[in-house]
Amino acid sequence: MSKIATIIRREFLSRVKKKSFVAMTILGPVLMAAIVIVPVLVAQLSDSDYSVAIVDDSGLFAQDFRDRDNIYFTPLDTDIDNAIERMHDGRFDAVLHIPEVAFQAPSSLRLFSAKSVNFNAKLLIENILKLEFESMKLSSAGIDEEVLRSIESPVSIRAIRISNDGEQMTDYPEISMGLGFVGGFLIYIFIFLFGSQVLRGVLEEKTSRIVEIIVSSVKPFQLMMGKIFGVGLVGLTQFLIWIFLTLAIVGGFQAAAPEMFRFTPDEEVFITGGQVLNPEELQTQREAIQQHDTMAGELLAGLSAINIPVMVLSFIFYFLGGYLLYAALFAAIGSAVDNEADTQQFMLPVTIPLLLALIMTQMVVTNPGGTVALWLSMIPFTSPVIMMARIPFGVSYAELALSAALLVAGFMFTTWVAAKIYRTGILMYGKKVDYKELWKWMRHS
Amino acid sequence: MSTLLKADNITKTYRDHRALDQVSVHIPDQSIFGLLGPNGAGKTTLIRIINQIIGADQGTILFDNEPLRSKHVLRIGYLPEERGLYKKMEVGEQSIYLARLKGLKRQEARKLLTGWFEKFDLMPWWGKKVEELSKGMQQKVQFIITVLHKPRLLIFDEPFSGFDPINVNLLKEEILKLREEGSTIIFSTHNMDSVEELCDHIALINRSKLVLEGDVREVRKNHSTRLYEAELEQVHTPVEQMLDGRFQLVDIEKHLESMTVRIRITKEAPPNELLQSLLTSGQLTSFRELTPTMNDIFIKQVTGEYPTGKMQKTDPFIQAGQQ
């Protein structure tokens, strides 16, 4: 059908050439890459030095403060007024005052600063003192600190998925949940974005009255399908460019500054009490660091456990399937009304299943194998969003095939229904249309 | 003369009303065919059926002696009553697009369009968006798109509504040229006076039914009222004395130096005898038959009588001046 090809070409090019498309296509990946890169950059940029003077009237804690990252501590022997004066001279950014009664009355602690206080420094100081106070209380209560530490038992279960043939695979439900959410949400956004473009396109042709010129050359069905395919192609193009550009930007940054992305375990604040660490304490520290490492490793392992090709292919399939299903309905709505304001009453029943699917994603990711998840991933109106949420958890090929087949049947059905409404609707001007009217169009054409 | 389009017994029923009821029209090749009727009579429905935009419930249509099929849309050019263009699309690109939907190759379309655009002084607007064009220019573009693929059959639905008089004349000239080059033209309008002078054939549709069809001169002749108007000066004998029973004096208007009389003659009496009688009455300065316009004929067909008041004079100069 060369005419459909001609229509698809126009629909595609007229949108791709728009400034808004170019802007969205470039800004999208920049934003996505920014989400990855900016936190890393910000963490590095905030590294301006911050010095805190300590006036410890109790004489108990001054030695416990160790410089950390960009925060430096200096114990002073002067009184607090003198210290504040020196701060105003610009020698320190802040002064921590620990009164004699600090241990008994922690609320008497004060942190003075000339400018607004550095939040991280405040947090660090609080953390250090809290641990110190706890440790002092423990020893005064006669509890051995070592005993207490040995009681602390971090538990982390390794979930393993085991297939019929005994193949084992570590399961990472947290990562699957994240991916499921993102996948489902993206499908939802894409269907909405490009579905409503179809609606507006049909409405434009109708209100500008060009439609009658066109349908004297091509069949209404060809015009409708040309538009749906053309807009769908725009969506697919945008998606692929986004993926490609995002990877390129993130990859580019990674290549330019690899140390930025290297995982460095966060040092915990460990109580040393100014003493030399005994072997047990050393061991505790090492374990803590190790646990950090395994968490990072787990993230990577979790990502690699996801079947990326299946994920990408099924995203493209469910995007296209879901888009075709809804775009046909959007086209029918566009053909039935005379202006954008009238679309509202018909939009509701079309958007409700889509919105429902998005809301149910929450439930589906917590129980991806449940009955609700299964049914919603079979019904064509919700399956694109729900199936994308389920796939990171692993879905059997049989289920995928059935859901895909139902989706194909679903969009063929909506296209058939839409074509009937569209054919009558595009030539109908100045008539207030309701559901009864639509039903008649469907039955009589 | 061969028939290009033969529509027989076309019936189309919408849910609540019958839009066309057993309508048959035969459109002679290379004719200008007026499809006339008031708003809502069913003209647009018939045109949409010919364009295969909608299907007829009953009836057959032959196009160039073949049953009408989808391939024939390439040989039909249609300027709908409700017409428009993509506002945000460039004029040239849009014209090429619409030409391609009519089966033209891109290069071919560009070449033909360049010729038409130059003729209509539209070339500077080729790269502009449609919304930047004046309404008159948009209408020219629409006209060009309609005729570009040199269709055998051209259908204009209310072609002159919204066109300014200069463009109307331009279009009429172009349409006549197209006919000479072999096209057949259908004019659909409720404003019969606007196309009457152009049409060779007409069909009148009223309330979904065909009420009249035929050659324009034939139709006029058949609807002759045998009413004549004469102007006389220096009348020495009253006109009524000169008339015998075959002539009926309808009306006399007396002016300062002259008089205007309207006389109806019976079937047997030749107009020449009336003329002779009038010549003996005074100095005859004008004599002509008052023929009904298509509009008058149409109103007669619908209501059973001619509209009261004046009838249009079939004086070609007066008509030309009205356009």
Side-chain angles (χ1 to χ4, degrees), chain A residues 3 6-7 9-10 204-205 208-210 212-217 219 427 429 437 440 444, chain B residues 15 48 51 53 70 73-74 78 80 82-87 89 94 97-98 100-102 106:
Chain A
K3 279 183 183 176
T6 307
I7 295 168
R9 186 176 176 277
R10 191 204 85 85
E204 182 203 357
E205 276 163 3
S208 74
R209 304 287 200 258
I210 196 176
E212 189 144 348
I213 294 179
I214 297 177
V215 294
S216 72
S217 307
K219 292 195 166 60
L427 298 174
Y429 305 117
E437 188 72 27
K440 283 178 188 159
H444 287 269
Chain B
R15 227 174 29 257
R48 282 179 174 171
N51 274 302
I53 292 170
S70 55
V73 298
L74 302 182
Y78 174 39
E82 299 279 6
R83 50 191 172 235
L85 296 165
Y86 289 112
K87 292 190 179 65
M89 201 173 171
Q94 175 151 214
Y97 171 64
L98 292 170
R100 293 193 67 194
L101 292 184
K102 278 290 184 193
R106 174 167 283 272

Side-chain angles (χ1 to χ4, degrees), chain A residues 110-262:
Chain A
R110 293 288 182 271
L111 183 65
F112 301 99
S113 70
K115 286 171 272 177
S116 66
V117 74
N118 181 318
F119 181 71
N120 282 332
K122 180 172 174 282
L123 223 58
L124 178 65
I125 293 164
E126 282 169 351
N127 220 343
I128 291 169
L129 285 172
K130 179 178 169 277
L131 289 167
E132 276 306 319
F133 287 1
E134 276 175 10
S135 146
M136 281 174 73
K137 278 180 187 165
L138 284 172
S139 34
S140 68
I143 298 166
D144 189 359
E145 209 179 303
E146 240 172 77
V147 174
L148 191 76
R149 299 240 166 263
S150 66
I151 290 169
E152 240 175 56
S153 351
V155 176
S156 163
I157 297 179
R158 189 162 188 189
I160 299 195
R161 207 183 304 159
I162 183 157
S163 63
N164 283 340
D165 47 18
E167 197 192 332
Q168 290 191 9
M169 211 169 77
T170 315
D171 221 5
Y172 302 94
E174 296 84 357
I175 290 154
S176 301
M177 269 171 84
L179 276 178
F181 256 127
V182 171
F185 188 69
L186 270 182
I187 291 263
Y188 169 84
I189 290 282
F190 266 80
I191 289 177
F192 238 101
L193 219 59
F194 293 99
S196 48
Q197 278 205 27
V198 169
L199 190 156
R200 276 200 301 277
V202 172
L203 203 53
E204 182 203 357
E205 276 163 3
K206 194 180 168 183
T207 51
S208 74
R209 304 287 200 258
I210 196 176
V211 67
E212 189 144 348
I213 294 179
I214 297 177
V215 294
S216 72
S217 307
V218 304
K219 292 195 166 60
F221 183 72
Q222 291 175 314
L223 177 60
M224 186 180 94
M225 289 321 280
K227 181 170 293 293
I228 290 175
F229 285 145
V231 174
L233 216 54
V234 174
L236 205 59
T237 307
Q238 188 155 58
F239 173 70
L240 292 177
I241 294 177
W242 276 2
I243 297 265
F244 183 76
L245 274 186
T246 308
L247 290 180
I249 293 172
V250 173
F253 264 86
Q254 252 172 332
E259 71 282 356
M260 254 170 62
F261 290 85
R262 196 163 296 138

Side-chain angles (χ1 to χ4, degrees), chain A residues 38-48 70 257 259-262:
Chain A
V38 166
V40 181
L41 281 178
V42 165
Q44 299 199 335
L45 287 175
S46 64
D47 277 8
S48 66
N70 53 336
E259 71 282 356
M260 254 170 62
F261 290 85
R262 196 163 296 138

Side-chain angles (χ1 to χ4, degrees), chain B residues 31-96:
Chain B
S31 67
I32 296 184
F33 190 96
L35 186 61
L36 313 177
N39 289 324
K43 302 185 301 288
T44 300
T45 301
L46 181 59
I47 285 172
R48 282 179 174 171
I49 289 170
I50 295 171
N51 274 302
Q52 300 174 72
I53 292 170
I54 53 175
D57 299 337
Q58 287 170 33
T60 55
I61 297 181
L62 293 180
F63 184 89
D64 211 5
N65 298 318
E66 289 173 356
L68 189 69
R69 267 181 288 146
S70 55
K71 65 165 187 177
H72 290 127
V73 298
L74 302 182
R75 299 166 68 190
I76 299 177
Y78 174 39
L79 186 68
E81 181 181 6
E82 299 279 6
R83 50 191 172 235
L85 296 165
Y86 289 112
K87 292 190 179 65
K88 303 273 179 200
M89 201 173 171
E90 284 175 12
V91 177
E93 197 51 42
Q94 175 151 214
S95 306
I96 290 176

Side-chain angles (χ1 to χ4, degrees), chain B residues 13 19 36 41 45 88 123 147 167 174 190 207 228 238 241 261 265 301 323:
Chain B
T13 310
L36 313 177
T45 301
K88 303 273 179 200
M123 222 40 214
V147 303
N167 280 343
E174 291 302 330
H190 68 276
R207 296 193 189 177
Y228 290 82
Q241 287 183 16
V261 291
I265 58 176
Q301 286 292 323
Q323 293 300 330

